[in-house]
Amino acid sequence: MSKCNAEFVETVFCLMFETFWMAPYDPRRSDPVLACFERRARYASVLLGKTDLASATGAQLREVAKAVAELEESVQQIAGTGLFRSRECAEALERVRGIREALAEQCAAGILSR
């Protein structure tokens, strides 16, 4: 399997392992909102990493777009918990929205070129 969308995957990994990382022994780690974020981030990174946006079907593009939208929702939920500073959450939300917007542009360009 070839790897795709390395920049998007790197952004999601940065959110998971830098911005919203907590040590395994940190009691805040058991917060359901953080667990949901981690699940959604892993799923989005897998889809982004395996989907060639230029040749993807409409169903594949919708699945990737849905995963990124759910990731954005999770970041918004984290912002409401107070687990992380508001500045970190705002930057994370901006990064996910950047993925969503770039994804929409790439998908539109791919559809037009077919």
Side-chain angles (χ1 to χ4, degrees):
M1 174 174 80
S2 65
K3 295 180 182 176
C4 303
N5 311 306
E7 185 177 327
F8 295 157
V9 173
E10 180 181 354
T11 298
V12 175
F13 275 36
C14 285
L15 293 176
M16 293 170 64
F17 300 112
E18 292 175 11
T19 306
F20 295 136
W21 184 84
M22 287 187 181
Y25 51 81
D26 191 320
R28 299 174 299 163
R29 190 167 176 83
S30 63
D31 189 291
V33 172
L34 189 59
C36 181
F37 163 78
E38 288 182 1
R39 231 181 1 267
R40 288 177 169 178
R42 289 178 194 281
Y43 183 64
S45 66
V46 167
L47 284 180
L48 288 166
K50 75 175 189 173
T51 306
D52 179 6
L53 300 177
S55 64
T57 66
Q60 289 171 317
L61 294 174
R62 284 189 295 277
E63 185 177 13
V64 172
K66 181 181 176 199
V68 172
E70 289 175 349
L71 180 60
E72 182 178 352
E73 180 184 318
S74 286
V75 172
Q76 289 172 331
Q77 290 172 345
I78 286 174
T81 64
L83 291 171
F84 298 91
R85 293 181 294 207
S86 60
R87 181 174 166 234
E88 291 173 319
C89 294
E91 289 173 359
L93 191 55
E94 186 178 317
R95 294 171 97 182
V96 174
R97 287 180 176 157
I99 293 173
R100 183 176 42 85
E101 291 166 5
L103 184 61
E105 288 173 12
Q106 285 191 358
C107 291
I111 290 170
L112 294 176
S113 67
R114 290 184 194 160

